[in-house]
Amino acid sequence: MINLIPPEAKKNITLEYWVRVGSVWALLLAFALACASFIFLPVYVLISSQVDAYTESANSASAKIASYENVTTGLVRASQEARTVMAGANFTPVSEYMSIINAAQGNNITITNVSMSRAEEGIAPIQLSGVALDRQSLAAFRDRLLNEEQFSAVELPIANLAKDKDISFSITITVANSKTP
């Protein structure tokens, strides 16, 4: 029967047949894609909401880590300062050294300048300058300072003993850098 159809009509029928087959396949493909999108839509919504939740959690964790790092830095600094303060609390106060020097001074010695500073392990050598009435009072002042257990050495340059009266002097006192309990 197909032989009875003219060739022009046969071409039209073949074309129409393939258009119908193509349109059916296109409709089936569109239907399959629609079904797949409806199936995957809940999964997509679930995954995107979980990603958002994890992102928020990661951001809050990062903020907490940053604040913990700030607190840690502050605690380290405070600990170092506390160690420094506690170490300084164990040193003999500078005022105690001044009171020892003033007690050893006597009436014939006038101290005009005192230079004191803290070192890492206590007090750096103390520099005293002043005027002594005579050599004996200056030597006695040096001896009284040497007798103090807080001082390990007292250096009085010999040039200071050249004059007999109204002697300008400069003494270097080395402090025994022992910490008090």
Side-chain angles (χ1 to χ4, degrees):
M1 258 215 222
I2 197 117
N3 292 338
L4 299 174
I5 301 175
E8 188 66 34
K10 187 176 179 183
K11 279 184 183 179
N12 287 339
I13 290 174
T14 306
L15 180 65
E16 185 179 335
Y17 171 76
W18 285 114
V19 167
R20 286 182 182 180
V21 168
S23 63
V24 167
W25 278 108
L27 284 174
L28 284 175
L29 182 63
F31 180 73
L33 289 176
C35 287
S37 65
F38 284 127
I39 289 172
F40 289 128
L41 182 66
V43 174
Y44 172 75
V45 170
L46 177 66
I47 289 174
S48 66
S49 66
Q50 286 180 343
V51 165
D52 291 342
Y54 288 139
T55 303
E56 288 178 23
S57 175
N59 290 340
S60 69
S62 296
K64 285 181 182 178
I65 287 172
S67 70
Y68 291 150
E69 287 174 355
N70 291 341
V71 168
T72 302
T73 304
L75 284 175
V76 167
R77 188 178 335 108
S79 175
Q80 290 171 345
E81 290 174 1
R83 253 186 265 132
T84 303
V85 168
M86 291 303 294
N90 292 334
F91 291 128
T92 304
V94 175
S95 61
E96 185 174 321
Y97 294 120
M98 281 306 300
S99 64
I100 292 170
I101 292 169
N102 287 336
Q105 180 176 351
N107 294 331
N108 296 332
I109 303 291
T110 305
I111 297 175
T112 57
N113 190 13
V114 177
S115 175
M116 248 187 256
S117 64
R118 287 239 185 243
E120 191 172 314
E121 288 295 319
I123 301 287
I126 301 170
Q127 301 290 327
L128 290 177
S129 44
V131 177
L133 193 60
D134 56 11
R135 264 188 238 155
Q136 289 81 14
S137 60
L138 183 57
F141 177 57
R142 180 183 57 95
D143 292 340
R144 285 190 298 268
L145 289 175
L146 273 174
N147 289 335
E148 294 295 331
E149 63 184 41
Q150 285 87 354
F151 303 136
S152 60
V154 177
E155 296 176 21
L156 178 64
I158 295 179
N160 290 335
L161 299 174
K163 290 172 71 180
D164 194 24
K165 291 191 176 196
D166 294 327
I167 304 168
S168 295
F169 65 90
S170 176
I171 295 178
T172 302
I173 303 171
T174 305
V175 178
N177 288 323
S178 61
K179 296 179 182 178
T180 59

